[in-house]
Amino acid sequence: MKINLLYGTETGNAEMLAEDIESNLSADHEVAMTNLEDATMEHLTADGFYIFICSTYGDGDLPASAIDFGDMVKTDRPDLSAMTFSIFGLGDVDYDETYNHGSKQLSELLVGCGASLHGPRGLHDASSGEPPEDRAMPWVEARLAELA
């Protein structure tokens, strides 16, 4: 299966998680990994399934590498009706009011342009002490199994 893996990061945690996911999936799938700061409209219209990894920064904002991407989607309002995606968020439940709002905002932007969200949003809590990949990999595998 063709998988488009896009990530938005502030400190590099979402990038490291995306690299772990890419490494885990690349034996069985064709995986194209892109930082959202490098993403263009062509990245949103590629064939295949989409997985987004997005951290949260500040007061529930998109991380630095996703800000321009979010602005592009808001401004251009592309037709994403052909896109099916899942999204995994990184956050810290100690910031309860804004916990994982970066991934929530990104998901809402995509759905607002017609994309279809597949499965529940995956969530990781940094204060849990659990490595993000321990939560993300079973979540990714479940999303892919549901597609098959």
Side-chain angles (χ1 to χ4, degrees):
M1 174 187 308
K2 169 79 189 262
I3 298 173
N4 302 292
L5 179 60
L6 296 98
Y7 66 91
T9 192
E10 182 77 30
T11 62
N13 290 332
E15 179 178 12
M16 287 187 290
L17 179 57
E19 289 170 350
D20 289 343
I21 292 170
E22 178 189 36
S23 176
N24 192 292
L25 296 179
S26 61
D28 297 322
H29 303 280
E30 178 187 346
V31 182
M33 188 172 80
T34 306
N35 187 331
L36 286 174
E37 72 184 0
D38 300 322
T40 64
M41 284 300 163
E42 289 75 33
H43 288 99
L44 298 180
T45 56
D47 291 333
F49 180 64
Y50 285 80
I51 298 173
F52 288 86
I53 309 296
C54 187
S55 62
T56 299
Y57 186 71
D59 293 324
D61 301 318
L62 290 174
S65 80
I67 292 172
D68 289 345
F69 176 84
D71 290 343
M72 175 182 69
V73 172
K74 284 179 198 170
T75 301
D76 295 351
R77 304 287 305 158
D79 177 5
L80 301 180
S81 58
M83 175 192 284
T84 300
F85 76 98
S86 290
I87 189 164
F88 189 87
L90 301 170
D92 188 332
V93 78
D94 287 342
Y95 301 95
D96 186 47
E97 290 183 20
T98 60
Y99 174 61
N100 265 297
H101 277 215
S103 62
K104 180 181 179 191
Q105 278 187 45
L106 183 56
S107 178
E108 289 172 351
L109 280 172
L110 298 170
V111 169
C113 290
S116 298
L117 177 61
H118 172 70
R121 187 166 47 108
L123 303 175
H124 177 261
D125 173 20
S127 66
S128 71
E130 177 183 32
E133 60 274 12
D134 286 359
R135 179 164 296 271
M137 287 317 305
W139 175 86
V140 167
E141 291 166 7
R143 300 297 70 80
L144 295 178
E146 292 167 358
L147 287 173

